[in-house]
Amino acid sequence: DQQVKQNSPSLSVQEGRISILNCDYTNSMFDYFLWYKKYPAEGPTFLISISSIKDKNEDGRFTVFLNKSAKHLSLHIVPSQPGDSAVYFCAASIGENNDMRFGAGTRLTVKP
Amino acid sequence: DGGITQSPKYLFRKEGQNVTLSCEQNLNHDAMYWYRQDPGQGLRLIYYSQIVNDFQKGDIAEGYSVSREKKESFPLTVTSAQKNPTAFYLCASSRGTDSPLHFGNGTRLTVT
């Protein structure tokens, strides 16, 4: 049973516009959430994280929003750049175990 | 230069043979992980280890085995009991609780 879900397999946006990637989770015990970026034939690289005590975390062009009541998080990229084109994974973990569960990924394409 | 090294990048085996994938880290991280990526399914957790000489099963441990004799090393053996071993395997490490995972560049295993 997939505990972390990314329901949009792909997203295409124009350069300079906002990209919004969404993620839903089912396990209310998750308390640490992350976004990773991945290029083909490489390992994912960490982008940004948020703990369950916050509802927003910002790092440059990247902002993660967490809505605990809806069990939903999103990643906003503003402005989007062609170099942002990659597969984005959301992930979540519970406390001490840090045994992270990942969504299926969303392929973002930013068109020049 | 600190990081995670997975070797080899590509591995080919005949059906019925066991094969061991190597993962070494020099980040001095306590926790290490193995994930499997299949198309459209994201990353699925196979095994993880939070400390030397201890490891736990993830969501898809059947047909796999691991050892953690040294902090730096977490090899994964894909046994002949694994029904669909062909996949992209990713190793990761982290400092522990509420810390992002750092990934290697993966090993693509093909079993024919």
Side-chain angles (χ1 to χ4, degrees), chain B residues 59-75:
Chain B
D59 297 325
I60 55 165
E62 186 175 349
Y64 299 97
S65 66
V66 293
S67 63
R68 187 86 188 276
E69 296 177 1
K70 297 186 301 182
K71 187 175 186 177
E72 304 79 24
S73 178
F74 192 40

Side-chain angles (χ1 to χ4, degrees), chain A residues 35 46-49 56-65 75-79:
Chain A
W35 284 94
F46 168 68
L47 265 180
I48 191 168
S49 64
K56 176 182 174 181
N57 189 27
E58 192 171 352
D59 184 2
R61 296 186 298 115
F62 302 91
T63 303
V64 57
F65 295 92
L75 175 68
H76 293 208
I77 306 174
V78 182

Side-chain angles (χ1 to χ4, degrees), chain A residues 97-109:
Chain A
N97 289 339
N98 212 41
D99 52 338
M100 228 158 269
R101 294 327 200 255
F102 285 76
T106 297
R107 181 177 302 278
L108 172 67
T109 302

Side-chain angles (χ1 to χ4, degrees), chain A residues 36 38 41 43 96 98 100-101, chain B residues 33 35 50 59 96 99 101 104:
Chain A
Y36 288 83
K38 186 182 183 300
E96 295 179 350
N98 212 41
M100 228 158 269
R101 294 327 200 255
Chain B
Y33 308 78
Y35 287 87
Q50 294 177 290
D59 297 325
S99 297
L101 270 57

Side-chain angles (χ1 to χ4, degrees), chain A residues 12-16 82 85 109-112:
Chain A
S12 181
V13 300
Q14 208 66 35
E15 181 179 7
S85 297
T109 302
V110 181
K111 298 179 179 179

